[in-house]
């Protein structure tokens, strides 16, 4: 029987409602109740329906009472949705079952056996802020520099140990960390002792203490093993070591464990997820039944073909191929591949495409821009605002609302507008300069009394003996810096001034020294801020623009374009998906490759797969030839993932003068580099051939001549100084270049 025929096979007429409409593979997953089962549920294959139907089937057939079922999810939202669907299908409420997140179930067990776990039954579960506050106290007592080893960094180290199921006594020399001057393990011990003293647990403890409880009290473990006749686990590919060990222990008696997941969508390795958990399922549970859900109900055949070809390059996977029934015999649109000059050109292209679809009455809510890194959102946000297209940033603040951007802007405001009290107050002790609340209170008091701006009041204070010597020195140094930067603002270009201010103030150094997980992303955002400034003639013009942007950043309702990272997009779907920034070092991300090697590359490829499979009808991938990073133009290479897409499923759309298919009659004849597509087993190949520049002819340029530069593109010679040319480039602005690097052009 063919794939299609199998999926369409008729099931018995008198089926219960929860089984009706299931395809063959889905029905197998629901009815395979005995023994270990792994359901490999590809993107858009009806995973949620299978989970729900399986739970209903267990209850409807009286194979188990609600109290004998343990169903575990990763979010409360997923748990509540599953509960409501089951009750709807059964047409009655379900009481007494164990349905919830790993943490909620772990807490429920701990409440029952608190004394055995070293706690009292009324123990407190600390939130993230309380955890950090407690750790700060311990670090201070140990005389560990909070600037060098922030509490949040230490908390991340401790949580990684807990995610791996390691209590302090289980952390070996090989597992130890160099954090906190080599005292990380000692800090971990003290932290756990303080938690016990406070009769408290953190989120990591909810499973870690469960593991310790089961190990120390076999009778308790045996009770839960007997109790849970059936186990059901959602998103198994995202489990960490602690979750994995916990599940394995509970499943040992009946072995009726059903795990649903997709190894091709394991993208959270950076937060402790172990893709190996799902890859080892057959080894962990001998005789396990593997059911592959491969029929996709979301995307077109072309999108699925491209996604399947891409993910097939991963070695560490169980393997499956998504397919779907063509709608009306149509395969759908090819994957659009757009080559752009730079990030601004890329944003303009995406904006124009969105506008064109909007004119065709396509809802904005069906469109999404999915980026690899948070800093990429800035150009798309500004372009959509310019066009008047409503949007929302999902999973994070808008670019100019981010903490590090607000801090940087406060520095700029303090330089150009000394009367801006709010800006000055924000940066006066950032990074920390020993200017505390007492000093600020004195400054505020003087400012109110004399009706002075805060900065002016500070100048009077440092000229007096009102302040302690340390605070006086720090405040005086900051005011001197602000004066120097204001003087530099008279001559230095404002993007250059911004770099100077952020560097000399120590602000970028603060984030460079930070061990926080989000520090690299914050630095990327700061780098993105510099080219954003360059688009305006003055710093004041830029700051005014930002104020207007913030004023316009209002909720436009539900019909908006979604902008988000690829990580945030998992589980969502859209009619049209734009995937910008497919360039080497950005996607796959250089940091992921440096830190993870081959595993990092495979996770990046899974991320690309997730991006492609979010789309129902249309995908547009784009990349740039140049990207401006930290005021420097970087030549970019197309991502290797582009080369892994099947050529037959891709339609190249090059901007004028860029990468055009061979044989295009409209391709410019004087282009320095001509690209062509070639189909083959290896997928899409982009080839290039450089043209030699005639150096003798290059030496004869005159002002007003049109030229072409390999990096900066087309431009007009503004001035000639020997072999050096001042050129006003169409896209890159004014540059000084050597004449041998350009050639005559007609454009």
């Amino acid at each position: 029987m063919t794939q299609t025929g199998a999926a369409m096979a008729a099931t018995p007429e008198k089926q219960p409602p929860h089984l009706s409409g299931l395809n063959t593979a889905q029905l197998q997953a629901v009815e395979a109740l005995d023994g270990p089962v792994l359901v490999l549920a590809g993107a858009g294959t009806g995973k949620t329906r299978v989970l729900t139907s399986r739970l209903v089937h267990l209850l409807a057939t009286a194979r188990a009472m609600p109290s004998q079922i343990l169903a575990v999810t990763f979010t409360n939202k997923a748990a509540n949705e599953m509960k409501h669907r089951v009750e709807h299908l059964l047409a009655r409420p379900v009481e007494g079952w164990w349905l919830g997140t790993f943490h909620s179930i772990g807490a429920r067990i701990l409440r029952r056996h608190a004394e055995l776990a070293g706690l009292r039954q009324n123990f407190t579960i600390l939130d993230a802020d309380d955890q950090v506050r407690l750790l700060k106290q311990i670090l201070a007592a140990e005389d560990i520099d909070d600037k060098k080893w922030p509490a949040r960094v230490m908390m991340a180290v401790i949580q990684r140990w807990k995610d791996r199921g390691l209590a302090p006594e289980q952390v070996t020399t090989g597992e130890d960390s160099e954090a906190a001057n080599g005292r990380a393990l000692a800090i971990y011990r003290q932290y756990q002792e303080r938690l016990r003293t406070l009769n408290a647990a953190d989120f990591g403890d909810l499973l870690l203490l469960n593991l310790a409880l089961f190990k120390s009290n076999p009778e308790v473990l045996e009770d839960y093993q007997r109790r849970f006749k059936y186990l059901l686990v959602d998103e198994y590919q995202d489990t960490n070591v602690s979750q994995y060990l916990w599940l394995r222990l509970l499943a040992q008696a009946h072995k009726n464990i059903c795990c649903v997941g997709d190894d091709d969508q394991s993208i959270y390795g950076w937060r402790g997820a172990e893709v190996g958990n799902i890859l080892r399922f057959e080894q962990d549970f001998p005789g396990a039944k593997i059911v592959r859900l491969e029929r996709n109900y979301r995307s077109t055949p072309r999108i699925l073909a491209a996604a399947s070809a891409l993910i097939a390059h991963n070695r560490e996977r169980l393997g499956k191929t998504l397919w779907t029934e063509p709608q009306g015999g149509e395969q759908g649109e090819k994957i659009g591949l757009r080559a752009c000059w730079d990030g601004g050109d890329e944003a303009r292209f995406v904006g124009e495409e969105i506008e064109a679809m909007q004119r065709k009455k396509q809802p904005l809510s069906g469109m999404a821009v999915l980026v690899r890194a948070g800093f990429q959102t800035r150009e798309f946000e500004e372009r959509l605002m310019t066009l008047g297209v409503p949007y929302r940033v999902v999973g994070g603040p808008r670019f100019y609302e981010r903490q590090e951007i607000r801090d940087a802007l406060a520095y700029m405001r303090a330089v150009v507008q000394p009367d801006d009290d709010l800006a000055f107050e924000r940066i006066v002790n950032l990074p920390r300069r020993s200017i505390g609340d007492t000093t600020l209170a004195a400054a505020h008091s003087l400012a109110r009394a004399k009706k002075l701006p805060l900065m002016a009041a500070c100048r009077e204070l440092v000229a007096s003996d009102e302040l302690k010597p340390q605070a006086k020195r720090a405040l005086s140094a900051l005011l001197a810096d602000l004066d120097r930067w204001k003087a530099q603002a008279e001559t230095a270009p404002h993007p250059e001034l911004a770099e100077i201010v952020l560097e000399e103030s120590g602000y970028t150094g603060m984030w460079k020294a930070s061990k926080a997980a989000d520090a690299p992303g914050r630095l990327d955002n700061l780098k993105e801020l510099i080219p954003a400034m360059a688009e305006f003639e003055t710093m004041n013009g830029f700051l005014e623009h930002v104020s207007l942007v913030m004023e316009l950043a209002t909720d436009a309702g539900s019909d908006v374009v979604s902008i988000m990272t690829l990580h945030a997009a998992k589980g969502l779907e859209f009619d049209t998906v734009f995937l910008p920034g497919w360039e080497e070092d950005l996607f796959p991300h250089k940091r992921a490759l440096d830190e993870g090697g081959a595993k990092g590359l495979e996770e990046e490829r899974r991320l690309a797969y997730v991006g492609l499979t979010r789309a129902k009808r249309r995908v547009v991938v784009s990349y740039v030839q140049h990207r401006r990073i930290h005021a420097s133009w970087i030549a970019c290479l197309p991502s290797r993932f582009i080369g892994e897409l099947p050529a037959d499923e891709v339609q190249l759309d090059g901007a004028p003068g860029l990468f055009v298919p061979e044989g295009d009659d409209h391709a410019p004849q004087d282009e320095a580099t001509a690209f062509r597509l070639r189909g083959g087993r290896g997928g899409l190949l982009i080839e290039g051939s450089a043209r030699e520049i005639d150096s003798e002819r290059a030496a004869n340029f005159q002002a007003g001549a049109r030229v072409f530069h390999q990096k900066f593109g087309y431009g007009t010679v503004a001035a000639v100084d020997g072999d050096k040319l001042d050129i006003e480039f169409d896209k890159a602005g004014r540059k000084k270049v050597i004449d041998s690097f350009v050639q005559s052009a007609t454009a």
Side-chain angles (χ1 to χ4, degrees), residues 10 50 159 167 280 295 344 348 385 500 537 686:
V50 167
Q159 288 303 330
R280 290 194 312 270
R295 183 180 181 181
R348 283 189 293 274
M385 260 184 284
I500 293 171
E537 292 185 3
I686 301 177

Side-chain angles (χ1 to χ4, degrees), residues 32 67 79 113 157 210 221 243 251 288 320 345 403 525 561 586 671 673 682:
S67 60
H113 311 280
V157 173
N210 266 225
L221 173 61
Q243 292 161 342
K320 63 183 176 303
D345 185 30
Q403 174 194 333
N525 292 335
V561 177
L586 180 54
E671 187 63 47
T673 307

Side-chain angles (χ1 to χ4, degrees), residues 53-67:
S53 298
R54 186 177 173 93
L55 279 172
V56 174
H57 197 56
L58 284 168
L59 296 172
T61 57
R63 295 291 293 268
M65 295 184 295
S67 60

Side-chain angles (χ1 to χ4, degrees), residues 97-161:
W97 64 353
W98 292 67
L99 169 63
T101 64
F102 282 96
H103 289 131
S104 67
I105 300 293
R108 186 174 173 182
I109 292 174
L110 276 184
R111 293 285 182 199
R112 290 186 163 203
H113 311 280
E115 284 76 14
L116 295 176
L119 297 167
R120 296 187 296 279
Q121 194 172 16
N122 63 340
F123 67 85
T124 302
I125 301 173
L126 300 187
D127 61 20
D129 287 341
D130 287 337
Q131 294 169 32
V132 171
R133 285 172 57 204
L134 176 59
L135 202 55
K136 279 184 177 180
Q137 295 172 9
I138 297 171
L139 293 174
E142 289 294 309
D143 198 28
I144 293 174
D145 189 354
D146 186 57
K147 293 181 182 177
K148 188 175 181 180
W149 296 107
R152 291 190 182 279
V153 174
M154 289 303 307
M155 197 70 246
V157 173
I158 291 171
Q159 288 303 330
R160 278 198 296 272
W161 279 328

